[in-house]
Amino acid sequence: MALPSTHDVALAAERRAAARLLLAYPVVTATGPHADTFPLVRRHADWLAQRFQQVLGYRLLVESSYARLFKAGLGPGSGHRLERSTGTPFTPRTYACLALFLSVLVTAPEQLLLSRLLADVRAAAVDAGLEIETTGRQAEKRTLVAALRQLVAWGVLAETDGSVDAAADADDRAGEALLTVDREIARAIVAGPLAQSRDGADLVVRAADPGFGGPRTYVRRRLVETPAVYLDDLTDAEREWLRTRQRREAQAFSELLGLEAEIRAEGVVLTDPEDELTDLRVPGTGTVAQAALLLVSRLAERLRPADPGHQATGGRLVIGVPVPAGLVEEILAELVEEYGRRATWQRGYLDDPAALRADTVDLLIRMRLLALAGPVRAEGLGVPEGYGTESADGRAVTDVSGVRAGSTGLDGGPGGASTTASDGSARSDGSGPALVLPGGGNANDGPDSGGPDSARHDDARTGGSDPDPARPDGSLPGGGSPDGGGPDSVHPDGGGHDRTGLVLLAAAARYATAVTVRKAAAFPHGTAVKQEQR
């Protein structure tokens, strides 16, 4: 077999760079932060459009000034949220403002004053039965600015003279700004099937329908858009397709996107050796990331299931084990005493254990290391009407009943037995196959989550909160991304995780490693966490 020529290698590298950029940033402009790579997108537009459609069922639109990759959702609980630059997630109120701005901007003049835009949005809100205060409450002003900032990041708005931050002036005499509008990009932002949807919940399900691609397309989307794909995240037909083609798919994703596949009994994860396409990192820097690493490590050691293994070899497949009530709070309290008060952990978290718990659990859920107890896709959650769920020709597939505590009919049922050693101590034998997450993430956990700031949670306690946690009727379709990806995958109603149980997922076994404390040059007055693999 002849080796590829230098030209072929260079061509493949250019196409891979363009594909990776679009996967991470579905809206790319010629003058934005990725202007240096945009020429590659234009140069290989036809090839990219064909490959994205063929592999993932995504439509690619490339114009002279921008490119838009129209993604699809993944169903309930799988959305990628938008965030402020501080890391504070958008609330439903912010999404509503974002949708109202878009509704005005698609027909706006090429240039307009900020005050005119705010007046038009207030009128559009009245027509939609909502109330938007552009003066008065400072929290409402911050909400408007967050939505405006996102539009600037997408390239819908350009600040020609002045800044959209003027909308948050505290004295109610808002400073002025001249804005330039790109109506084409504004029209290309929202991609969900609005006309066919009855309501928001129906939109989330319909946006995840892979259409003619069926299980093939859905599984591929799941692989590139989420940190880990567990077998019970898939229907019988999807599991059968994945298991019979996983090696071939691993090679295809390596060639197209430069991603590596980790295949285990519990599922599959795609990882990025270059550590560029993830917006969530564990291990990572900051209070929440360090606390999350320590927490999941201790949970994995204390809750390691007894005798896990592959069903084909007589073992018991275990994807998730229940987290006893109060254990997370207990471990976090220990960590605060052992590390937090001697290190540089943010004081706001040290003084507010509930906030530390909420943000730490939130990060681990988004990393697919923890999950909320409840039904899963294998039990019909989020499956569109008429979607084929049974395997072809009635072929036998991996039985996932009872592999995750907390799903329908589990907790103590078959396969949901003891999760700790008989003496309550942590197992250290490392038995049983588990998903591996080198680099702390996957290729693309948050492609529509608002850029590189989306993984930062340390400033969340100081960023201010949006009013009105209830989801208004005018919220952005999809709730978490312009591609119909669904609301925040953790708690879309703005609440915490205390209303339901938690499940520790198989990938957490990767973090059941020796965690040592060392003095770090960057923290001369405290300690930092270092993870060492066994």
Side-chain angles (χ1 to χ4, degrees):
M1 179 173 156
L3 294 176
S5 66
T6 303
H7 175 269
D8 291 339
V9 172
L11 182 65
E14 285 188 356
R15 289 172 171 175
R16 189 179 302 118
R20 285 164 61 91
L21 175 65
L22 289 167
L23 198 61
Y25 300 94
V27 181
V28 180
T29 64
T31 58
H34 307 287
D36 55 339
T37 311
F38 182 74
L40 295 182
V41 175
R42 293 204 65 197
R43 184 181 308 162
H44 302 290
D46 292 341
W47 184 89
L48 290 167
Q50 181 184 35
R51 292 298 290 162
F52 274 119
Q53 182 62 51
Q54 184 180 49
V55 176
L56 298 170
Y58 292 164
R59 181 170 68 92
L60 175 63
L61 173 64
V62 179
E63 299 291 350
S64 60
S65 60
Y66 75 95
R68 170 69 163 114
L69 182 64
F70 293 91
K71 294 190 175 185
L74 295 173
S78 299
H80 296 309
R81 69 195 189 189
L82 297 174
E83 297 182 344
R84 299 182 184 186
S85 60
T86 60
T88 306
F90 276 23
T91 65
R93 185 72 170 180
T94 319
Y95 287 118
C97 292
L98 189 56
L100 288 169
F101 276 121
L102 286 170
S103 70
V104 169
L105 292 172
V106 291
T107 57
E110 183 176 352
Q111 289 190 326
L112 78 168
L113 295 175
L114 175 61
S115 58
R116 168 67 184 278
L117 176 59
L118 294 176
D120 290 347
V121 164
R122 189 164 56 246
V126 172
D127 292 340
L130 301 174
E131 183 178 351
I132 297 294
E133 289 290 340
T134 58
T135 61
R137 292 192 300 173
Q138 199 62 26
E140 185 83 332
K141 292 180 180 180
R142 288 196 296 266
T143 299
L144 293 170
V145 171
L148 287 166
R149 277 267 148 244
Q150 185 60 57
L151 293 170
V152 172
W154 280 332
V156 175
L157 291 177
E159 297 164 304
T160 305
D161 186 16
S163 169
V164 295
D165 294 338
D169 281 359
D171 60 1
D172 284 343
R173 294 192 300 270
E176 196 59 275
L178 177 63
L179 306 175
T180 299
V181 182
D182 192 319
R183 292 186 295 270
E184 290 189 25
I185 298 180
R187 296 186 184 106
I189 292 297
V190 179
L194 301 178
Q196 298 87 5
S197 303
R198 298 185 299 271
D199 51 34
D202 186 45
L203 174 62
V204 171
V205 174
R206 287 180 181 273
D209 190 343
F212 294 112
R216 175 187 72 247
T217 297
Y218 182 83
V219 173
R220 286 172 172 171
R221 290 173 179 173
R222 192 103 195 178
L223 285 170
V224 301
E225 303 289 3
T226 58
V229 178
Y230 299 103
L231 292 188
D232 61 348
D233 285 330
L234 307 173
T235 65
D236 286 354
E238 292 161 354
R239 287 200 304 280
E240 189 270 337
W241 184 89
L242 177 61
R243 280 311 190 197
T244 57
R245 296 167 177 82
Q246 56 192 12
R247 300 294 176 183
R248 188 185 315 163
E249 291 298 304
Q251 181 63 29
F253 280 118
S254 176
E255 294 174 356
L256 176 63
L257 297 168
L259 306 179
E260 295 180 357
E262 294 282 348
I263 301 173
R264 294 292 184 267
E266 303 90 350
V268 179
V269 63
L270 293 182
T271 62
D272 180 18
E274 299 182 21
D275 197 26
E276 293 177 345
L277 294 186
T278 180
D279 67 340
L280 298 173
R281 287 177 174 83
V282 174
T285 59
T287 301
V288 173
Q290 289 195 11
L293 170 61
L294 292 164
L295 173 61
V296 76
S297 175
R298 295 196 181 185
L299 286 174
E301 290 181 355
R302 296 190 190 187
L303 303 178
R304 187 182 297 277
D307 303 321
H310 199 289
Q311 294 168 320
T313 59
R316 181 171 61 90
L317 180 62
V318 180
I319 290 178
V321 296
V323 178
L327 182 59
V328 170
E329 291 83 354
E330 174 187 331
I331 293 176
L332 285 175
E334 296 172 0
L335 296 177
V336 167
E337 291 302 318
E338 293 178 32
Y339 303 106
R341 300 197 184 282
R342 293 183 295 140
T344 56
W345 285 16
Q346 188 178 348
R347 178 158 299 279
Y349 283 119
L350 299 180
D351 296 338
D352 190 350
L356 178 62
R357 179 195 188 277
D359 288 353
T360 302
V361 169
D362 171 51
L363 176 59
L364 293 175
I365 289 179
R366 296 171 67 197
M367 283 293 301
R368 304 284 288 152
L369 301 177
L370 285 177
L372 299 179
V376 291
R377 187 173 176 86
E379 299 163 339
L381 177 68
V383 177
E385 295 181 8
Y387 180 76
T389 59
E390 297 182 358
S391 61
D393 303 323
R395 297 176 186 173
V397 296
T398 303
D399 182 14
V400 295
S401 59
V403 301
R404 181 188 303 213
S407 58
T408 304
L410 304 186
D411 284 337
S418 174
T419 61
T420 60
S422 58
D423 61 356
S425 62
R427 292 183 177 271
S428 59
D429 56 0
S431 60
L435 290 172
V436 180
L437 297 174
N442 83 311
N444 187 14
D445 189 60
D448 264 0
S449 56
D453 289 334
S454 56
R456 298 209 309 268
H457 290 262
D458 270 9
D459 296 327
R461 310 310 307 166
T462 60
S465 60
D466 291 333
D468 189 5
R471 179 177 297 277
D473 293 340
S475 59
L476 181 67
S481 79
D483 294 320
D488 178 9
S489 59
V490 179
H491 44 93
D493 59 349
H497 307 284
D498 296 325
R499 291 189 295 273
T500 186
L502 291 172
V503 177
L504 183 70
L505 298 177
R510 189 260 187 257
Y511 297 95
T513 57
V515 177
T516 63
V517 178
R518 62 176 175 83
K519 288 288 182 179
F523 301 97
H525 303 294
T527 57
V529 176
K530 179 182 179 182
Q531 184 188 31
E532 299 176 350
Q533 294 192 40
R534 287 192 180 120

